[in-house]
Amino acid sequence: MPHLSESQFMRLIPLQRLAALGRWRVEAMRSLPEACLLYVTKGMGRITVAGLTRGYSAGNTIFIPAGVMHGFELGPNVQGIAVFFGSDCTLNVPNSPQHFRLRDANAQNELANILDMIQRENDTKRPAFARAVHYHLGLISVWLERQVLRAEPDTIPPDAAQRLVARFTEVMELRFRKGIGVAELAEELGVTPTHLTRCCRGASGRTALEMLQDRRLFEARKLLSDTKLPVGQIGMTLGFASAAYFTRAFQNQTGLSPSAFRRTG
């Protein structure tokens, strides 16, 4: 029987526990092979999705499709739930990011009740609980569809600069392991590196290079934490020209060498 990773299945994780796994796992730019829904019940912070940074607060629900680059601040006062749909999920969910500020108490209560039912099924493991969880997850997909249709997403139609940055994150996600630089990515997008960096800074507060390095080094930390691949092989996998260059870049951002980071994990 083939091994099935946890990411293939739906998980319901308190936001506070995500931070306990390591702040870099939530704050650094990364993408997931599964859709994710964040429901914030307390606190506030900032979240970057597809290169666009905005604030979030209690009552916000953010849906992030699979493969979309994102990262978010998770302060000590923030509470809520993260729903990971699983990479094997076949439900009909939005294909673009959504950010809702739920001012309607009924909409908040409806989502909270569905999440409570999922948690109860997971906790009790009653007969047919897996099927029940799947059906409740389907109700979340219906809830999302209704919010898209009737609620006002917390968004203004993206301008040209924001569309460029979103496209940049898409191309970056496909190419960051190949050692490609900002200049090559800008050329592929038909703009100058200066213009791309200006747009990235305006949309997210980060330069194009900072976003690219953040993405590559998140992946490096993940591989160091979750696999036993040799450090040099990880650097090569992520497109670094040499093990020494990878070590310098990693240490400059994290304050630790790759080997020291692995030991602390």
Side-chain angles (χ1 to χ4, degrees), residues 135-178:
Y135 290 152
H136 287 304
L137 197 60
L139 288 176
I140 291 181
S141 74
V142 171
W143 184 92
L144 280 168
E145 182 177 343
R146 288 172 174 169
Q147 297 310 307
V148 171
L149 290 173
R150 75 188 181 195
E152 294 185 4
D154 178 43
T155 183
I156 298 171
D159 59 24
Q162 293 170 344
R163 291 195 298 271
L164 172 64
V165 175
R167 179 61 181 149
F168 169 61
T169 63
E170 291 176 4
V171 175
M172 187 203 310
E173 184 61 29
L174 295 173
R175 307 284 298 280
F176 78 89
R177 294 179 181 85
K178 302 182 184 300

Side-chain angles (χ1 to χ4, degrees), residues 5-11 33-35 85-90:
S5 67
E6 184 184 60
S7 66
Q8 289 181 266
F9 303 103
M10 192 285 301
R11 283 107 59 222
E34 58 185 324
F85 283 63
S87 57
D88 62 346
C89 178
T90 57

Side-chain angles (χ1 to χ4, degrees), residues 147-240:
Q147 297 310 307
V148 171
L149 290 173
R150 75 188 181 195
E152 294 185 4
D154 178 43
T155 183
I156 298 171
D159 59 24
Q162 293 170 344
R163 291 195 298 271
L164 172 64
V165 175
R167 179 61 181 149
F168 169 61
T169 63
E170 291 176 4
V171 175
M172 187 203 310
E173 184 61 29
L174 295 173
R175 307 284 298 280
F176 78 89
R177 294 179 181 85
K178 302 182 184 300
I180 193 168
V182 170
E184 294 93 335
L185 289 169
E187 182 178 4
E188 187 168 333
L189 293 167
V191 298
T192 66
T194 300
H195 180 67
L196 177 60
T197 290
R198 185 185 305 117
C199 291
C200 287
R201 193 186 295 276
S204 70
R206 309 181 191 208
T207 67
L209 179 59
E210 287 170 342
M211 293 176 70
L212 176 59
Q213 285 291 77
D214 202 32
R215 180 67 185 95
R216 294 173 81 190
L217 292 176
F218 168 84
E219 202 69 18
R221 285 180 287 197
K222 188 171 184 296
L223 291 171
L224 288 166
S225 295
D226 299 348
T227 76
K228 295 182 179 180
L229 290 174
V231 169
Q233 186 176 343
I234 290 174
M236 291 178 58
T237 298
L238 297 175
F240 287 91

